[in-house]
Amino acid sequence: MVASLAVLLAASGCSVAGADPIGGGPDTLRIVLPEEPPTLEPCDASLTATGRVTRANITEALTEREPSTGRLEPALATKWTRDSATSWTFTLREGVTFHDGSPFTAAAAAFSVKRATDSGIDCNVDGYIFADSELTATPVDDTTLRVTTAKPDPILPLRLSFVEIVPTSTDPDSRVREPVGTGPYRIDEWNQGRYLRLKRFPGYWGKSPDFAAATYVWRAEGSVRAAMVTNNEADVAIGLAPEDGAGDRAVEFATNEVSYLRMDATKPPLDDIRVRQAVNYAIDREGLVTAVFAGRPTGQLVAKGVTGHNPRVRPWPYAPERARGLVAEARADGVRTDITLTIIGRNGIYPKAAEAMEVVQDGLIKAGLKVRIKMLDVNAWLEYLLRPFPAGDTGPTLLQAQHGNQAGDAAFTMAQIYGSEGAQSSYGTDALDTLIERAQLASGGKRQKAFADAFAHQNDKVVRDAVMANMTGLLALSPKVRYRPDPSTNDEMRLADMRRAD
């Protein structure tokens, strides 16, 4: 398998042509991304492509999780206390203003919580972070906010680290194109399809960032992004592969991102667990991380260090003979294994995304399944990721996906991805729903065990996914930038952490 992958990579080639200079002057940080953000709507900041631009740059939350330590730190709230099982009080930071000059108050915080969790604009953060749970935010005075929940929620302050705070002048009924926040940068110009430029906010309450401006552009080819740094056309390039040619400008880092395939278990032949098991056995995970992208094989959607990670859930072994046997067994029992499966891929989701799916396709075909690949750009792909899914008969699908649990708790993975009604879930079971519900109400050691049990149940009894690898990140930095990436960098790239090297 590794040999065939090498041939595949050689055939794909890498071009460095077509990289336009970004410009902007020496005080501008030039960043090249794999894709343009589909939206800058703050309540969708839990989406990677949006969050890496907005979170902690344009908008901020009441709390923030320090990626390196996992500790929850103050942000727009300076402290918080739990008054009862269902009630919390937050003390808010004084002297903070939004980019439009209006003051940050408890009324704005309450408005932001309601807009993100109880509005008709289908915020991603609602399904992803709160799993549609009910909560009420009430301003007590300008600097005091009380938040109550319908059910006990032991990690509410952590969940609120995903609610980006916006002023009350923000449209509560429609998504905004250019959000106003309290962050160190405000939007200067978004020329859709070409570039996005941020300018330093002179009224920022915290330490002023080094760079006066930041300009983002997007190039799909990793080799082009790397070349833009080595040719001094960009200062930061993310989402690179070792083969992209960043050379001594490359910086490798651990991430919390896990790549996986979401199987539509409601349609034949994927509605038969033997076929879903066969898909897992047919994927050569070691080959993928050796020859296609950087990482290490894993069997679950959260990385070590996240509450709920189960070390007993191991990566599925590469067992092509067993895969063929399971498919043959299902076929003999009348399962329609001749129905074509469609891999819904996403360009740029990680390095060599299309090549990875070709490797998967090859393994599944050898197992006796029919498979085609449909690569989409991020907006079209999101229609398959999030409910409501595309109407009509799309046939059985395997969705190429990647999940990063930057919050550090499996609550932000299980309900939305594996719950029967989860925002990113295509299939669930009553038994798994019960395990998830039990885990979400638990605290401390019981919480860890309950989520670990839920992951084991998914892996042994449900097999909804083919989890592939815990990804290793690679970015490139120009000589003018000092930056230490952390496990959350792919989801939340804080411009204030990027310092001038001179």
Side-chain angles (χ1 to χ4, degrees), residues 272 274-275 277-278 281-282 319-333 337 366-368:
D272 190 293
R274 292 169 294 186
V275 177
Q277 291 169 332
Y281 284 127
E321 290 295 336
R322 195 166 182 184
R324 279 194 291 274
L326 284 165
V327 171
E329 182 182 318
R331 185 185 305 116
D333 287 343
T337 58
K366 289 176 178 173

Side-chain angles (χ1 to χ4, degrees), residues 62 90 92 98 104-118 135-142 144-147 160 163-168 172:
L62 297 180
F90 293 81
L92 307 187
F98 289 101
F104 162 65
T105 63
F111 168 81
S112 302
V113 171
K114 180 175 178 55
R115 183 176 182 272
T117 64
D118 184 24
L135 67 163
T136 302
T138 306
V140 177
D141 54 41
D142 277 355
T144 307
L145 179 74
R146 181 163 299 134
V147 182
L160 289 177
V163 174
E164 303 300 292
I165 304 300
V166 294
T168 57

